Amino acid sequence: VYVTENQMKLFYEFTAEQLKRIASSDKISETERAVKRETAVRQLLSSVFANADDGDSLESGRKMMEECNEIVKAFVSKPTDQPSTWLERMMAASSEGSSTYSRAGNTATFSTLLSIAFGIGNPKDVATAALLHDIGLADVPAGISLKPESERSREETQKYQEHPFHSVNIIKERKMIVSDDVLKIIEQHHERFDGAGYPKRLAAGRMLQEAQLVAIADMLEDITETKPGVARVTIPQAIRMICDRGMSNPAAAPVDPEILRNLRRIFLEPLETQKQQKG
């Protein structure tokens, strides 16, 4: 489909409306709805997956993320919102630094698309939580937050691991109106399926699945982030790393293995099938 530049905003809105329609349709079975939803999200990111292994430019990747962000904004915003939507205000509240702003935006995009694809949670809540999940780091001394994890003392590690609580407190102090689920997602996004996370050491069954989606999105953003002197990791490579790491030893998995199986099924298996057909 060819879309002219001046029609892109309408195209984003149309895409979002189609995702909403799929998510809410009562005329099809839950199984059919899940398949359509997963297919729509996979196709939305298809150009990233199809080209990432071919060494596409960072500019191309940035452009795709901007486009995905536009669709997410259209998905979670009301038609009556002014240009400065609640989503943009949340982004601005999370940080004024461009790198943190970009990370928050990318994490929110990944989280929301996973929420839509898996049919887990309310995408608006997931987007909000992902945008604000790390604002509590502002209350952690830079000397601690910027230090590699392996070099922190026990006291420094404890202070760092309290930042989810700080994030929730900042939201409450600023009187931001968010749902209880948003606060829980933020507080739990560093918890692990095996109970070795923080700040409350919650294990399987005691945390929201939405928090696990934000954790995956955070991992994706961290792994694929461009780092000086380090070879770039593509999105498919990052997904493989996350799935392999979490499914190799379910007893010590950071993320629910069932969610990882779905992640592999939706985003990796179609790529593997395509490669087999080409070969």
Side-chain angles (χ1 to χ4, degrees):
V1 178
Y2 178 76
V3 183
T4 59
E5 186 173 355
N6 64 345
Q7 293 292 310
M8 288 306 293
K9 185 176 185 298
L10 292 175
F11 174 70
Y12 297 143
E13 292 173 353
F14 169 78
T15 303
E17 285 304 317
Q18 294 307 301
L19 289 172
K20 289 180 183 178
R21 182 180 60 78
I22 290 169
S24 62
S25 176
D26 294 326
K27 297 180 180 179
I28 59 176
S29 69
E30 181 58 36
T31 300
E32 291 175 308
R33 181 160 49 242
V35 170
K36 286 180 176 291
R37 186 173 56 228
E38 292 168 2
T39 301
V41 173
R42 184 169 61 244
Q43 290 175 342
L44 177 60
L45 294 177
S46 63
S47 63
V48 174
F49 296 149
N51 299 325
D53 286 324
D54 298 329
D56 59 332
S57 68
L58 292 177
E59 177 63 22
S60 174
R62 184 190 64 79
K63 183 64 176 176
M64 171 55 71
M65 286 308 305
E66 286 181 355
E67 292 174 354
C68 289
N69 268 306
E70 289 298 322
I71 293 171
V72 168
K73 283 195 283 187
F75 185 89
V76 301
S77 301
K78 297 178 181 179
T80 55
D81 282 348
Q82 298 300 314
S84 178
T85 64
W86 69 267
L87 187 60
E88 290 167 339
R89 292 198 298 271
M90 290 294 184
M91 282 186 171
S94 67
S95 174
E96 295 180 358
S98 59
S99 60
T100 306
Y101 175 97
S102 175
R103 183 183 180 96
N106 291 351
T107 302
T109 296
F110 284 132
S111 300
T112 308
L113 292 174
L114 291 175
S115 172
I116 296 168
F118 295 166
I120 293 177
N122 181 325
K124 180 176 178 179
D125 283 347
V126 173
T128 304
L131 285 168
L132 299 173
H133 72 288
D134 270 344
I135 60 175
L137 286 174
D139 287 344
V140 178
I144 295 177
S145 61
L146 297 177
K147 184 182 293 188
E149 183 178 357
S150 59
E151 297 179 11
R152 294 182 190 134
S153 67
R154 180 178 297 181
E155 293 76 14
E156 289 174 335
T157 296
Q158 182 176 347
K159 287 184 179 180
Y160 180 83
Q161 292 184 351
E162 290 173 351
H163 78 262
F165 289 143
H166 297 321
S167 295
V168 171
N169 289 336
I170 289 172
I171 291 171
K172 291 180 177 179
E173 289 169 0
R174 295 188 181 184
K175 295 182 173 55
M176 296 180 183
I177 301 175
V178 299
S179 70
D180 288 340
D181 278 349
V182 169
L183 297 179
K184 289 179 182 177
I185 294 169
I186 291 171
E187 189 176 282
Q188 297 175 6
H189 77 277
H190 277 302
E191 300 290 357
R192 289 171 51 104
F193 188 76
D194 61 4
Y198 60 86
K200 291 186 175 181
R201 302 293 188 270
L202 301 179
R206 296 183 59 201
M207 68 187 79
L208 294 181
Q209 286 188 310
E210 296 93 313
Q212 296 265 279
L213 298 186
V214 175
I216 291 173
D218 211 20
M219 292 181 210
L220 279 172
E221 173 62 16
D222 182 63
I223 294 172
T224 59
E225 182 182 14
T226 302
K227 302 177 179 70
V230 179
R232 180 187 173 217
V233 178
T234 66
I235 289 178
Q237 289 171 342
I239 291 177
R240 289 190 189 99
M241 290 168 62
I242 292 170
C243 290
D244 291 346
R245 189 184 306 161
M247 296 172 67
S248 60
N249 183 8
V255 179
D256 185 343
E258 182 61 31
I259 292 179
L260 294 181
R261 279 190 285 272
N262 281 330
L263 188 68
R264 179 186 292 276
R265 175 178 59 81
I266 293 173
F267 295 113
L268 294 184
E269 290 181 4
L271 283 178
E272 293 166 357
T273 300
Q274 289 175 12
K275 287 184 178 180
Q276 289 174 358
Q277 291 174 345
K278 289 180 180 179

PDB file of all heavy atoms in Angstrom, residues 13 77-85:
ATOM      1  N   GLU A  13      -3.919   6.543  12.344  1.00  0.00           N
ATOM      2  CA  GLU A  13      -5.199   6.464  13.035  1.00  0.00           C
ATOM      3  C   GLU A  13      -6.010   5.269  12.540  1.00  0.00           C
ATOM      4  O   GLU A  13      -6.655   4.572  13.324  1.00  0.00           O
ATOM      5  CB  GLU A  13      -5.980   7.767  12.843  1.00  0.00           C
ATOM      6  CG  GLU A  13      -5.337   8.964  13.546  1.00  0.00           C
ATOM      7  CD  GLU A  13      -6.025  10.271  13.207  1.00  0.00           C
ATOM      8  OE1 GLU A  13      -6.918  10.260  12.324  1.00  0.00           O
ATOM      9  OE2 GLU A  13      -5.675  11.301  13.817  1.00  0.00           O
ATOM     10  N   SER A  77      -4.866   7.175  22.559  1.00  0.00           N
ATOM     11  CA  SER A  77      -5.378   8.528  22.744  1.00  0.00           C
ATOM     12  C   SER A  77      -6.808   8.642  22.213  1.00  0.00           C
ATOM     13  O   SER A  77      -7.198   7.940  21.296  1.00  0.00           O
ATOM     14  CB  SER A  77      -4.498   9.547  22.016  1.00  0.00           C
ATOM     15  OG  SER A  77      -3.182   9.487  22.482  1.00  0.00           O
ATOM     16  N   LYS A  78      -7.569   9.539  22.792  1.00  0.00           N
ATOM     17  CA  LYS A  78      -8.927   9.788  22.334  1.00  0.00           C
ATOM     18  C   LYS A  78      -8.903  10.763  21.166  1.00  0.00           C
ATOM     19  O   LYS A  78      -8.060  11.646  21.103  1.00  0.00           O
ATOM     20  CB  LYS A  78      -9.768  10.389  23.467  1.00  0.00           C
ATOM     21  CG  LYS A  78      -9.934   9.458  24.666  1.00  0.00           C
ATOM     22  CD  LYS A  78     -10.739  10.142  25.757  1.00  0.00           C
ATOM     23  CE  LYS A  78     -10.896   9.216  26.971  1.00  0.00           C
ATOM     24  NZ  LYS A  78     -11.644   9.874  28.052  1.00  0.00           N
ATOM     25  N   PRO A  79      -9.858  10.639  20.237  1.00  0.00           N
ATOM     26  CA  PRO A  79      -9.892  11.552  19.091  1.00  0.00           C
ATOM     27  C   PRO A  79     -10.013  13.010  19.500  1.00  0.00           C
ATOM     28  O   PRO A  79      -9.611  13.904  18.766  1.00  0.00           O
ATOM     29  CB  PRO A  79     -11.147  11.098  18.330  1.00  0.00           C
ATOM     30  CG  PRO A  79     -11.350   9.680  18.750  1.00  0.00           C
ATOM     31  CD  PRO A  79     -10.906   9.623  20.188  1.00  0.00           C
ATOM     32  N   THR A  80     -10.569  13.266  20.699  1.00  0.00           N
ATOM     33  CA  THR A  80     -10.779  14.640  21.140  1.00  0.00           C
ATOM     34  C   THR A  80      -9.554  15.253  21.797  1.00  0.00           C
ATOM     35  O   THR A  80      -9.557  16.429  22.142  1.00  0.00           O
ATOM     36  CB  THR A  80     -11.947  14.705  22.136  1.00  0.00           C
ATOM     37  OG1 THR A  80     -11.691  13.785  23.209  1.00  0.00           O
ATOM     38  CG2 THR A  80     -13.255  14.317  21.462  1.00  0.00           C
ATOM     39  N   ASP A  81      -8.489  14.440  22.001  1.00  0.00           N
ATOM     40  CA  ASP A  81      -7.282  14.966  22.631  1.00  0.00           C
ATOM     41  C   ASP A  81      -6.678  16.083  21.799  1.00  0.00           C
ATOM     42  O   ASP A  81      -6.705  16.057  20.575  1.00  0.00           O
ATOM     43  CB  ASP A  81      -6.222  13.861  22.807  1.00  0.00           C
ATOM     44  CG  ASP A  81      -6.538  12.970  23.989  1.00  0.00           C
ATOM     45  OD1 ASP A  81      -7.413  13.348  24.778  1.00  0.00           O
ATOM     46  OD2 ASP A  81      -5.919  11.901  24.104  1.00  0.00           O
ATOM     47  N   GLN A  82      -6.114  17.071  22.460  1.00  0.00           N
ATOM     48  CA  GLN A  82      -5.402  18.147  21.787  1.00  0.00           C
ATOM     49  C   GLN A  82      -4.046  17.625  21.310  1.00  0.00           C
ATOM     50  O   GLN A  82      -3.613  16.535  21.698  1.00  0.00           O
ATOM     51  CB  GLN A  82      -5.210  19.331  22.753  1.00  0.00           C
ATOM     52  CG  GLN A  82      -6.519  19.940  23.224  1.00  0.00           C
ATOM     53  CD  GLN A  82      -7.338  20.464  22.051  1.00  0.00           C
ATOM     54  OE1 GLN A  82      -6.812  21.142  21.177  1.00  0.00           O
ATOM     55  NE2 GLN A  82      -8.629  20.140  22.023  1.00  0.00           N
ATOM     56  N   PRO A  83      -3.346  18.393  20.444  1.00  0.00           N
ATOM     57  CA  PRO A  83      -2.028  17.932  19.974  1.00  0.00           C
ATOM     58  C   PRO A  83      -1.095  17.502  21.096  1.00  0.00           C
ATOM     59  O   PRO A  83      -0.334  16.555  20.957  1.00  0.00           O
ATOM     60  CB  PRO A  83      -1.500  19.162  19.235  1.00  0.00           C
ATOM     61  CG  PRO A  83      -2.730  19.839  18.738  1.00  0.00           C
ATOM     62  CD  PRO A  83      -3.753  19.642  19.826  1.00  0.00           C
ATOM     63  N   SER A  84      -1.152  18.210  22.226  1.00  0.00           N
ATOM     64  CA  SER A  84      -0.340  17.808  23.371  1.00  0.00           C
ATOM     65  C   SER A  84      -1.126  16.768  24.158  1.00  0.00           C
ATOM     66  O   SER A  84      -1.814  17.073  25.115  1.00  0.00           O
ATOM     67  CB  SER A  84      -0.018  19.012  24.265  1.00  0.00           C
ATOM     68  OG  SER A  84       0.729  18.617  25.389  1.00  0.00           O
ATOM     69  N   THR A  85      -1.084  15.506  23.717  1.00  0.00           N
ATOM     70  CA  THR A  85      -1.876  14.450  24.331  1.00  0.00           C
ATOM     71  C   THR A  85      -1.313  14.060  25.686  1.00  0.00           C
ATOM     72  O   THR A  85      -0.193  14.406  26.051  1.00  0.00           O
ATOM     73  CB  THR A  85      -1.894  13.205  23.433  1.00  0.00           C
ATOM     74  OG1 THR A  85      -0.549  12.698  23.349  1.00  0.00           O
ATOM     75  CG2 THR A  85      -2.411  13.544  22.042  1.00  0.00           C
TER      76      THR A  85
END
